[in-house]
Amino acid sequence: MSTEVHRVRMMMELRRQGVSDDRVLGAIERIPRELFVARHFLDQAYEANALPIACGQTVSNPVVVGLMTQALEVGDRMKVLEIGTGSGYQAAVLSRLCRRLYTVERHKSLLKEAEARFHRLRLHNITSIAGDGTRGWPEQAPFDRIMVTAAASELPQALYEQLAIGGLMVLPKDKEAGNQVVLLVRRVAEGLPEIEELFPTKFVPLVKGLPQH
Ligand code: SAH
């Protein structure tokens, strides 16, 4: 079956699973997912699955990318931070929706490959660094929106503090018994954050610090 047929099927699956925002659907439609998956998994590039990439990590399921991106309500003038660049797929989708996208990855080799993809696709509004994303990117804060694409055990305080007041963060978080849930967090001026549970999920863990090699 041709790539085009697979792409159309993926877009139908996104709609079927609740992605209805036209801007989000348009952004996903314009990013060729086959450029972000390992050659070995090319035939599955447009299936609704997460796929392995290097360093034991994964490129997220496109449906999860769609639902999390939709929940973030990204506007075209916004400054957005992503934690966990991985293949760069989620960053590429977000970059089509906002003014500037910042992304942090702890594995340098993954970041280099992602940067080559951004370059190839001429996604010039993405700025990326290698580092520990649990600390956010203080020099660039505040952000209107933050998306974390690895599962945290707690709400990362540094990230919350780098959100503009009224800003939104979407992140997968550990729950009891090895389960995870995607949370939508709103930064408030004072007091406790407003938190909504969106849907169950499965992400690789958010790991503090940098790899040894
Ligand atoms: N957004 C990615 C998903 C990658 S999986 C994509 O679309 O392909 C999650 C990524 O988070 C992995 O690459 C992992 O290395 C990274 N990660 C985990 N903990 C991190 C941390 N503390 N700081 C930065 N990146 C982290």
Side-chain angles (χ1 to χ4, degrees):
M1 216 183 295
S2 74
T3 302
E4 196 42 44
V5 173
H6 281 116
R7 279 173 85 146
V8 169
R9 275 219 311 225
M10 182 182 89
M11 296 314 298
M12 285 169 60
E13 188 61 17
L14 283 163
R15 287 176 189 275
R16 201 183 68 78
Q17 297 209 38
V19 184
S20 54
D21 184 310
D22 285 336
R23 285 184 75 236
V24 172
L25 288 164
I28 292 176
E29 204 160 21
R30 287 200 305 276
I31 301 294
R33 196 162 183 267
E34 76 268 14
L35 294 187
F36 294 82
V37 307
R39 196 174 309 150
H40 189 67
F41 293 97
L42 262 186
D43 58 331
Q44 295 176 50
Y46 292 96
E47 308 240 326
N49 289 323
L51 293 172
I53 54 175
C55 304
Q57 306 302 319
T58 52
V59 49
S60 306
N61 177 338
V63 172
V64 176
V65 169
L67 291 173
M68 285 175 68
T69 305
Q70 177 165 278
L72 205 56
E73 297 179 11
V74 179
D76 59 8
R77 306 186 69 91
M78 289 183 179
K79 189 172 173 182
V80 180
L81 173 67
E82 184 209 22
I83 304 302
T85 317
S87 70
Y89 181 67
Q90 174 72 75
V93 170
L94 284 169
S95 78
R96 299 292 74 192
L97 296 167
C98 68
R99 183 169 55 82
R100 270 218 98 73
L101 192 273
Y102 296 84
T103 183
V104 184
E105 169 57 53
R106 65 191 287 278
H107 285 290
K108 277 194 181 143
S109 57
L110 286 180
L111 191 70
K112 276 202 168 154
E113 286 181 35
E115 285 170 342
R117 295 179 179 118
F118 301 152
H119 188 75
R120 176 165 172 197
L121 293 170
R122 298 180 202 283
L123 303 174
H124 298 308
N125 64 336
I126 303 181
T127 312
S128 51
I129 48 166
D132 177 1
T134 60
R135 302 152 68 111
W137 197 329
E139 297 81 5
Q140 298 294 347
F143 297 97
D144 301 299
R145 300 288 187 261
I146 298 179
M147 183 183 294
V148 185
T149 63
S153 48
E154 297 297 333
L155 181 66
Q157 191 61 26
L159 296 182
Y160 184 69
E161 284 166 8
Q162 287 171 32
L163 265 181
I165 305 297
L168 297 175
M169 168 159 57
V170 168
L171 78 161
K173 190 178 156 305
D174 295 334
K175 264 190 120 173
E176 68 286 345
N179 295 318
Q180 297 174 3
V181 66
V182 173
L183 300 182
L184 176 64
V185 177
R186 185 182 298 274
R187 167 87 201 253
V188 292
E190 277 172 51
L192 294 175
E194 287 174 21
I195 302 181
E196 193 186 328
E197 286 198 5
L198 298 183
F199 52 87
T201 193
K202 188 72 199 146
F203 272 84
V204 297
L206 184 69
V207 182
K208 285 199 179 124
L210 292 175
Q212 294 309 308
H213 46 277

